Amino acid sequence: MTQHEREEALRRLGDGRAWRDFCRALESAGEAVLRPGTPEDPRSRAEGFRYLTRLLRAGLESHVESADPRYPRFFQLSNETIKIGNDNPDNIYHNANVSGAYAYRICGRRGAAHYLSFGSKGGGYEQDGAMAPTGQLDQDEMHFAPDGGFEITAACNRPPNCANWLPLQPHSTSIVVRQTFERRGDGPAASLRIACLNPDAGDHLQPELLEPALQRAAAFVRGTANLFVDWMQRFQAHSNQLPPNDQEMCQRAGGDANIYYHNSHWQLAPDQALLVEFWPPDCTTWNMQIGNFWMESLDYRYHRIHLNKHTAELSTDGAVRIVLAHRNPGAQWPNWLETCGLEQGAMLLRYVGAREHPPIAARRLRFAELAARAG
């Protein structure tokens, strides 16, 4: 930033233009909820605008509070009340902003998660709608102390005698940590700390950089909301089916290299149910979940909206049969997912650590047909 640019930035901050332009940018981001083809019923509109407030919380945390790659901290871009891109209810997510210009040490203790992975990413939803992979380290490659302790170096080049290395690239901008549990809340989560090994400036707020940070937060809201509306409109072409997604597209959006994704759209009338059937492969775990049109997982704190390898009941022939329905289909269908009063939304089945990805059958049935099939 030149001296002239710095002086103009300080003037805009002082007279309020920086704040007013941030508010205008945030207002324009709301047009994503009103795009043609998005649901117009009051419930979906309300969830859409609430979604924007959640994205704003995430955007401010990422681009204002935790933005400096020289003084990173782990924060949650997704959690129980901030939901992005079919967030996994079995996961605890953590994020940190980094830069390939620096090196980092991540320390912690393993915890009880069934699956643990660290991924470095380049870009962001506020830029080009991408969080492309730049490196990955997962539990099978890591060395742990007897008490579960670990230390990771994240850097472009692997240091000598480094047991756990998370590769960065010059264009890396963030780290995503996934902890996947068999049953959320069973056992402690991993403890995590991150520090930059070679910071070259102090950690105080630089006034001239606040406006760009606010604009990036607003761009995050706009970019994230529009990206996943784009996805949902694409998925509507195969509504109530679960074909494999474009895996490269999933990876560009921040997906895990060990996960294979089936994304789609569901829509059910009051007297209909969706029967999903598959024979799960050998894998670390699998998970199926449903969400709303904005690709937010439904509220798993109070409703059963997902199942996994450890919570679903297998049929006698080894198949998993899951029913999406507005009401309980009965004891003969133990794997029921609640639609929580919605008429349509997102659904996702993911395989973690699977070498094979068998097809998934999905049939929309009337409730009477479902009952007859069970009998």
Side-chain angles (χ1 to χ4, degrees), residues 2-35:
T2 66
Q3 182 63 24
H4 174 75
E5 291 171 333
R6 182 177 182 275
E7 291 172 355
E8 175 61 15
L10 294 176
R11 282 193 292 270
R12 290 178 55 80
L13 185 68
D15 62 23
R17 283 178 291 163
W19 179 257
R20 288 191 291 273
D21 284 354
F22 163 66
C23 293
R24 293 188 187 99
L26 189 61
E27 179 183 15
S28 69
E31 295 303 312
V33 176
L34 303 173
R35 282 174 49 174

Side-chain angles (χ1 to χ4, degrees), residues 109-189:
R109 185 161 283 109
R110 174 76 172 81
H114 190 63
Y115 175 71
L116 173 66
S117 74
F118 297 78
S120 65
K121 312 292 179 181
Y125 296 155
E126 72 283 354
Q127 298 177 23
D128 54 5
M131 290 175 61
T134 60
Q136 177 144 335
L137 177 69
D138 62 53
Q139 61 189 26
D140 293 336
E141 305 167 303
M142 292 176 62
H143 297 271
F144 296 94
D147 65 353
F150 62 86
E151 183 175 299
I152 298 169
T153 298
C156 288
N157 299 306
R158 183 169 194 158
N161 304 315
C162 176
N164 297 319
W165 175 49
L166 173 61
L168 301 182
Q169 295 182 22
H171 61 284
S172 295
T173 56
S174 66
I175 291 172
V176 179
V177 185
R178 284 176 169 85
Q179 300 178 66
T180 305
F181 290 81
E182 296 179 358
R183 291 175 177 81
R184 192 181 179 100
D186 285 0

